[in-house]
Amino acid sequence: MKFVLPFTGSRGDVQPGLALAIELDRRGHSVVFGAPPNLVRFATAATTSSTSVSVVPFGPDTKALLESDLVRRRIKAKNPRTRFAALAELANFGWDDMTSQLSAMAVGADAAVTGTLGQEMTFNVAEALAIPFLALHYCPIRGNGAMSVVPGRKLPSGVNRATWRLLESMRWRSMRERENSQRRSLGLPDAESALPKRISNYGGLELQAYDGALFPGLEHEWGSSRPFVGFLELPSAPQPLGADLSTGSALREWIDEGPPPLYFGFGSMPVKDPVALVRTIDEVCTSGGHRALVSSGWSSMSERIEPGSAVSLVGAVDHATVFPLCRAAVHHGGAGTTAAGIRAGLPTMICWFSADQPFWGAALGRIGAGTSMKFSRLDNDTLEAGLRVLLAPETAVRAHELGLSMTPPSDAVRVSADLVERAVTSNGP
């Protein structure tokens, strides 16, 4: 069978799809995987051992987009007109190119699987080809009564459902014109309802690629149409997907020369002043007698690994490898980074920017495995207060227990691949 997997976004958006692609390839299927141009090299390295995964560029360079004036300044403008215009521009960014690329990728496909981003265009292509549609969700994004759209708030189920419906309606109004233009080009009639309803009517499957225990009530409410499979992670790669952590490397020697460090990293999030951030981390950790490993992610920082130093700076790192070597983690709260921290049993402080990140912070706080705050509030005082929570014995115990309760990654990938195959063999929708 042939599967097309178009994924866009940051590394955290792409990596779970790659894990599924590798498993489908292992089972003898043909796989075309679409990745943003800036992540093609990463995706190719991750699939080196796979014989049938064809990695192709898909969509815009997401690193350049996150660093653009559109995202760093205009989308955060105080003027509502400027902000709304920027949001509209962002929603349209790369749409035409992606729809064209996707149509070419999907020729001869038996099913289409996508991530959280870009589901509308992938669903339309699947419908036009009359093939099964599946999506990986990295956090709750569909209407429900168990969870408030405001992280950490407990509201009546009726209020929760109403606010989720409002968000779906707003999304549909913003996407309607673009979607129907694509649908007409595919020979489909105009859509008259929001995507969640159309997916349900079509018989599409939305895999929840995280553990249901983090959001009580959802697993029971959603049932088999939105099955919880657990966090999807890459298998061991044949080469490092980040800084070298092998025995004898400079970074590994620095880690091993003292107590386990605290990890700091903000992934693809645009940190406005990296120098000030490192200064804050340095001052707080020096004062508290902690060692710190700072990963620059997509921010501009110079590497610094010096024997005997309290703080080391490196580029991107493989979280699954480095987290078990650390004592606690402070990061932005991306789903992939959060999953790796949970699996390693790390007490975690999430300093969130937007999107799903505050939901992960609220979930860890509810469980007692960490704490959270908005990144813009991070300073010496708030970091010191957060570290007091992270380094408390009871937080470590809860984080360890949470890690043990998670679905093993091999099971999550296996079940996901089973569901994808079953969607085709049962003749899909």
Side-chain angles (χ1 to χ4, degrees):
M1 290 183 279
K2 176 183 176 180
F3 297 101
V4 60
L5 285 79
F7 280 73
T8 187
S10 66
R11 174 170 166 172
D13 296 298
V14 170
Q15 191 159 305
L18 281 171
L20 177 58
I22 291 169
E23 175 62 15
L24 291 172
D25 169 79
R26 189 190 68 78
R27 297 185 181 197
H29 302 299
S30 173
V31 181
V32 178
F33 190 91
N38 54 298
L39 291 171
V40 166
R41 183 179 178 182
F42 161 71
T44 302
T47 58
T48 298
S49 61
S50 302
T51 58
S52 300
V53 177
S54 174
V55 178
V56 298
F58 174 68
D61 183 311
T62 50
K63 184 176 188 294
L65 179 60
L66 286 171
E67 293 175 346
S68 68
D69 180 71
L70 172 64
V71 173
R72 294 183 71 99
R73 185 181 64 83
R74 284 191 284 145
I75 207 170
K76 302 173 184 176
K78 294 182 179 180
N79 185 312
R81 284 188 178 181
T82 302
R83 187 167 63 251
F84 291 148
L87 286 169
E89 183 179 341
L90 182 63
N92 279 297
F93 200 89
W95 174 271
D96 291 339
D97 287 340
M98 283 192 285
T99 55
S100 176
Q101 292 166 347
L102 178 54
S103 291
M105 291 164 55
V107 173
D110 294 294
V113 187
T114 190
T116 300
L117 302 175
Q119 288 189 36
E120 289 89 352
M121 68 178 66
T122 305
F123 174 79
N124 292 334
V125 168
E127 184 180 349
L129 295 175
I131 60 176
F133 169 83
L134 301 98
L136 300 181
H137 290 182
Y138 307 141
C139 69
I141 62 170
R142 296 298 184 228
N144 66 88
M147 177 184 158
S148 168
V149 298
V150 182
R153 290 288 298 275
K154 291 185 178 181
L155 298 173
S157 61
V159 175
N160 288 338
R161 294 183 196 283
T163 51
W164 281 105
R165 282 196 300 270
L166 176 62
L167 287 179
E168 289 177 355
S169 175
M170 292 172 62
R171 174 71 178 179
W172 169 230
R173 287 199 297 269
S174 72
M175 298 294 293
R176 186 169 185 164
E177 184 177 340
R178 286 189 301 281
E179 270 211 75
N180 283 334
S181 176
Q182 180 202 15
R183 290 176 66 84
R184 286 190 290 271
S185 73
L186 293 169
L188 295 171
D190 284 0
E192 297 296 336
S193 59
L195 182 65
K197 182 178 180 180
R198 284 183 281 139
I199 291 176
S200 178
N201 291 341
Y202 188 71
L205 201 60
E206 298 176 314
L207 281 62
Q208 307 305 301
Y210 53 96
D211 279 81
L214 293 161
F215 301 98
L218 289 184
E219 199 163 5
H220 173 75
E221 181 171 349
W222 282 343
S224 59
S225 65
R226 295 180 183 134
F228 283 80
V229 297
F231 293 106
L232 276 64
E233 295 181 10
L234 290 171
S236 299
Q239 62 185 79
L241 297 176
D244 185 5
L245 281 157
S246 61
T247 302
S249 66
L251 177 56
R252 186 58 181 266
E253 288 190 348
W254 177 85
I255 291 175
D256 291 343
E257 73 182 14
L262 306 177
Y263 171 86
F264 292 84
F266 299 93
S268 60
M269 294 298 99
V271 175
K272 185 177 181 180
D273 190 345
V275 174
L277 173 63
V278 173
R279 183 168 58 248
T280 294
I281 294 171
D282 203 339
E283 291 173 354
V284 171
C285 288
T286 299
S287 174
H290 311 304
R291 302 172 74 223
L293 173 61
V294 183
S295 171
S296 62
W298 286 4
S299 298
S300 178
M301 299 182 192
S302 299
E303 185 170 298
R304 186 182 77 202
I305 305 175
E306 299 172 357
S309 63
V311 178
S312 280
L313 275 64
V314 297
V317 294
D318 178 30
H319 294 135
T321 304
V322 76
F323 278 178
L325 306 175
C326 297
R327 183 181 181 188
V330 179
H331 60 73
H332 62 299
T337 310
T338 302
I342 290 174
R343 289 210 193 284
L346 288 188
T348 300
M349 179 178 179
I350 288 180
C351 300
W352 52 268
F353 289 73
S354 61
D356 61 323
Q357 298 163 8
F359 288 108
W360 295 114
L364 292 180
R366 177 184 56 79
I367 293 169
T371 184
S372 68
M373 57 173 284
K374 193 172 184 179
F375 178 83
S376 60
R377 294 183 52 240
L378 184 64
D379 58 23
N380 288 43
D381 291 338
T382 55
L383 180 55
E384 287 177 357
L387 292 183
R388 283 195 293 271
V389 174
L390 293 196
L391 303 179
E394 57 269 25
T395 308
V397 170
R398 293 300 296 127
H400 177 70
E401 292 173 344
L402 178 61
L404 294 177
S405 73
M406 292 296 99
T407 303
S410 58
D411 289 352
V413 172
R414 174 180 53 78
V415 170
S416 298
D418 288 346
L419 290 168
V420 173
E421 288 181 326
R422 197 174 304 150
V424 178
T425 57
S426 62
N427 295 319

